[in-house]
């Protein structure tokens, strides 16, 4: 029996597979329906890429992966689903038929569409329950890129749309609420404009597909990835800002630079020209190789933004914090070592031997110690008020290996405590097996004065009963052991 929430994905192509991976790796059970007999293989390959990439963006444990099933019918897929995402081909008649089948079995379930062009009012035509149908337009790869354009129509229930947005946040996405429906929503309208101009540049022999891609990825694409359009141009305006930029470059809008309102004739010759140049540019890589290259590059770029709490990186940080709060242990017993941290060995924790690197053992200890300090009331608010516990000495013993994906727990045993000192023994374990132990001596410090001082009475009131209860515990064999000393 599973207690996981369930999402249904209708359509198992590139986008549907990306949605399935996003929900599965966020701990949801996922049922996929696609009549294509190759759907399990295609979704499986997308999921393999996601498993290699998405955890690399996280700094807290991923939840246990949900259960993936391939349903034999739309009914079986959507039965019991809290959220349904439709990702079938961009044919309105097909979408209407699929919605009719979905709403026969799940008339009240949230039903998002991955459509890149249709308005929600078009999707809702003749639906049994139009209030639950809306646009949730993602970008490929869905499992890495956070944007989902959420587009309702006047027929939608605002509370249902807010619930859908919250579900998207829970799986790490950024729901951009498009306030007024329009063909192709927001982002694809920009892409369409750039695409048309690029086709003209190739057709007129001005640039090749590779040269156009170089112009984007070596120049404005890097700026857009972290500042977007208007913020980039605000900076371009110098100290006078956007108003100066508009005054300086506004007249250029009257110049005949682009052909955005003119579309090149879509001929076989144009298709062959584009396809041939694209083959010459990238044909030495398979599609799966290009996907993995893309994912590794995106992970690196997104992690840089995450380190700076900027753009898409802020979404990742917020999602980590949401999961971190869900992982916090709340121990009640004080007569045993207190399990205070749940962690997972992430890709960034691994060294060249394929094992958890030395610094991450100390990181795991720090996470456990910090959780204990929060438990006794010496968390960040206490630090902000001018007092903290500083580590004066540490001793780590490596007892086992931890590898990628291993789930770890951190526990604390208080060996001794007084008004100024705190002596801890921390165990990092994998499924009950000791991976490392860290013995720490901490001093309580007045940060402004730069010297030790007694802890606040309310902190001692929570700490000392734990210390007293832990005195009855067996003292760890290695406690107090100096470096190189025999275990006996």
């Amino acid at each position: 029996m599973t207690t996981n929430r369930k999402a249904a994905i209708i359509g198992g192509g590139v986008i549907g597979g990306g949605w399935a991976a996003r929900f599965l790796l966020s701990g949801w059970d996922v049922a996929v329906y696609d009549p294509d007999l190759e759907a399990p293989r295609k979704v499986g390959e997308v999921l393999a890429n996601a498993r290699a990439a998405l955890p690399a963006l996280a700094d807290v444990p991923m939840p246990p992966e949900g259960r993936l099933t391939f349903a034999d019918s739309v009914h079986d897929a959507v039965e019991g689903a809290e959220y349904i995402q439709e990702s079938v081909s961009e044919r309105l008649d097909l979408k209407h038929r699929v919605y009719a089948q979905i709403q026969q079995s799940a008339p009240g379930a949230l039903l998002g569409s991955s459509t890149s062009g249709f308005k929600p009012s078009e999707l809702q035509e003749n639906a049994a329950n139009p209030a639950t149908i809306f646009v949730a337009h993602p970008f490929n790869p869905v499992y890495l890129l956070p944007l989902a354009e959420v587009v309702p129509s006047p027929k939608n229930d605002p509370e249902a749309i807010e619930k859908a947005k919250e579900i998207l946040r829970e799986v790490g996405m950024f729901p951009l609420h498009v306030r007024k429906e329009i063909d192709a929503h927001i982002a694809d309208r920009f892409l369409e404009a750039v695409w048309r101009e690029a086709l003209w540049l190739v057709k007129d022999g001005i640039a090749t597909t590779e040269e156009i891609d170089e112009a984007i990825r070596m120049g404005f694409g890097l700026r857009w990835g972290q500042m977007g359009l208007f913020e980039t141009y605000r900076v371009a305006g110098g100290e006078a800002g956007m108003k100066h930029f508009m005054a300086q470059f506004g007249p250029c809008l009257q110049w005949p630079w682009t052909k955005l309102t003119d579309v090149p004739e879509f001929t076989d010759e144009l298709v062959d020209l584009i396809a041939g140049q694209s083959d010459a540019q990238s044909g030495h890589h398979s599609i799966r190789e290009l996907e993995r290259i893309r994912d590794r590059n995106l992970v690196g770029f997104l992690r840089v933004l995450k380190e700076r709490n900027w753009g898409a990186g802020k979404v990742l940080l917020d999602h980590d914090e949401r999961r971190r709060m869900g992982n916090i242990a709340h121990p009640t017993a004080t007569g045993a070592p207190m399990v205070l941290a749940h962690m997972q060995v992430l890709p960034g924790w691994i060294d060249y031997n394929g094992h958890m690197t030395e610094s991450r053992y100390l990181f795991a200890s720090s996470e456990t110690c910090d959780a204990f300090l929060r438990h006794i009331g010496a968390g960040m608010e206490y630090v902000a008020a001018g007092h903290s516990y500083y580590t004066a000495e540490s001793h780590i013993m490596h007892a086992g290996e931890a590898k990628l994906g291993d789930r770890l727990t951190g526990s604390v045993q208080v060996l001794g405590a007084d008004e100024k000192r705190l002596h801890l023994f921390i165990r990092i374990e994998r499924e009950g097996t000791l991976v490392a132990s860290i013995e720490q001596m901490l001093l309580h410090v007045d940060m402004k004065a730069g010297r030790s001082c007694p802890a606040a009475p309310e902190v001692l009131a929570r700490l000392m009963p734990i210390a007293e209860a832990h005195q009855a515990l067996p003292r760890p064999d290695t406690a107090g052991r100096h470096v190189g000393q025999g275990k006996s």
Side-chain angles (χ1 to χ4, degrees), residues 45-202:
E45 290 178 354
V46 173
L47 183 55
N49 284 349
R51 287 179 178 133
L54 182 59
L57 292 177
D59 292 305
V60 295
M62 299 288 290
E65 186 174 311
R67 184 169 61 95
L68 174 63
T69 57
F70 289 89
D72 294 328
S73 66
V74 169
H75 168 78
D76 291 344
V78 303
E79 187 176 22
E82 181 178 347
Y83 184 91
I84 302 166
Q85 185 73 20
E86 168 269 307
S87 300
V88 303
S89 300
E90 287 287 85
R91 288 172 33 213
L92 193 57
D93 61 329
L94 174 61
K95 292 181 184 292
H96 285 163
R97 291 200 301 273
V98 167
Y99 296 161
Q101 294 179 59
I102 291 172
Q103 295 200 326
Q104 281 181 349
S105 302
L110 293 168
L111 175 49
S113 174
S114 299
T115 180
S116 58
F118 293 121
K119 298 191 292 289
S121 58
E122 295 173 305
L123 301 175
Q124 295 165 345
E125 291 172 357
N126 302 317
N129 185 5
T132 65
I133 300 172
F134 58 96
V135 171
H137 174 233
F139 283 79
N140 189 38
V142 182
Y143 53 80
L144 286 183
L145 296 182
L147 179 63
E149 294 178 300
V150 176
V151 193
S153 85
K155 292 184 178 179
N156 284 109
D157 177 4
E159 290 187 5
I161 295 300
E162 290 304 313
K163 181 180 178 182
K165 287 160 60 179
E166 180 57 25
I167 286 174
L168 293 172
R169 291 188 191 98
E170 289 173 6
V171 297
M173 302 195 79
F174 179 81
L176 178 64
H177 192 135
V178 180
R179 292 180 292 112
K180 187 174 182 180
E181 62 176 348
I182 185 173
D183 292 321
H185 326 313
I186 295 176
D188 271 354
R189 295 179 72 90
F190 290 111
L191 292 178
E192 179 67 16
V194 174
W195 174 242
R196 291 186 184 194
E197 187 62 23
L199 291 179
W200 276 115
L201 291 171
V202 174

Side-chain angles (χ1 to χ4, degrees), residues 22 50 59-60 79 86 216 268 292 307 348 376 381 485:
R22 172 71 77 165
D59 292 305
V60 295
E79 187 176 22
E86 168 269 307
I216 294 170
D268 290 342
R292 289 189 286 272
E307 290 170 6
I376 63 173
E381 291 183 4
Q485 181 181 353

Side-chain angles (χ1 to χ4, degrees), residues 382-444:
Y382 191 71
V383 172
H387 293 87
S388 182
Y389 278 95
Y390 284 8
T391 300
E393 188 175 350
S394 293
H395 181 206
I396 181 169
M397 288 189 63
H398 299 272
E401 296 174 350
K403 298 181 179 180
L404 181 65
D406 285 350
R407 293 183 179 274
L408 309 176
T409 59
S411 65
V412 166
Q413 178 178 345
V414 179
L415 298 182
D418 58 30
E419 61 180 13
K420 292 185 179 181
R421 294 177 298 179
L422 178 56
H423 188 188
L424 302 180
F425 192 85
I426 295 170
R427 294 175 175 87
I428 306 299
E429 296 179 306
R430 180 190 65 247
E431 297 179 352
T433 300
L434 186 67
V435 172
S437 64
I438 302 91
E439 189 176 350
Q440 270 185 295
M441 178 64 74
L442 301 99
L443 297 178
H444 187 268

Side-chain angles (χ1 to χ4, degrees), residues 336-404:
M338 301 170 66
V339 177
L340 287 151
H342 298 278
M343 298 159 282
Q344 186 176 21
V345 181
L346 303 171
W349 294 28
I350 299 301
D351 63 15
Y352 43 82
N353 293 317
H355 306 147
M356 191 164 86
T357 190
E358 291 175 0
S359 65
R360 288 296 175 173
Y361 286 92
L362 290 172
F363 174 81
S365 171
S366 178
E367 288 286 283
T368 307
C369 181
D370 283 351
F372 181 76
L373 294 179
R374 288 193 298 270
H375 182 75
I376 63 173
M380 291 309 298
E381 291 183 4
Y382 191 71
V383 172
H387 293 87
S388 182
Y389 278 95
Y390 284 8
T391 300
E393 188 175 350
S394 293
H395 181 206
I396 181 169
M397 288 189 63
H398 299 272
E401 296 174 350
K403 298 181 179 180
L404 181 65

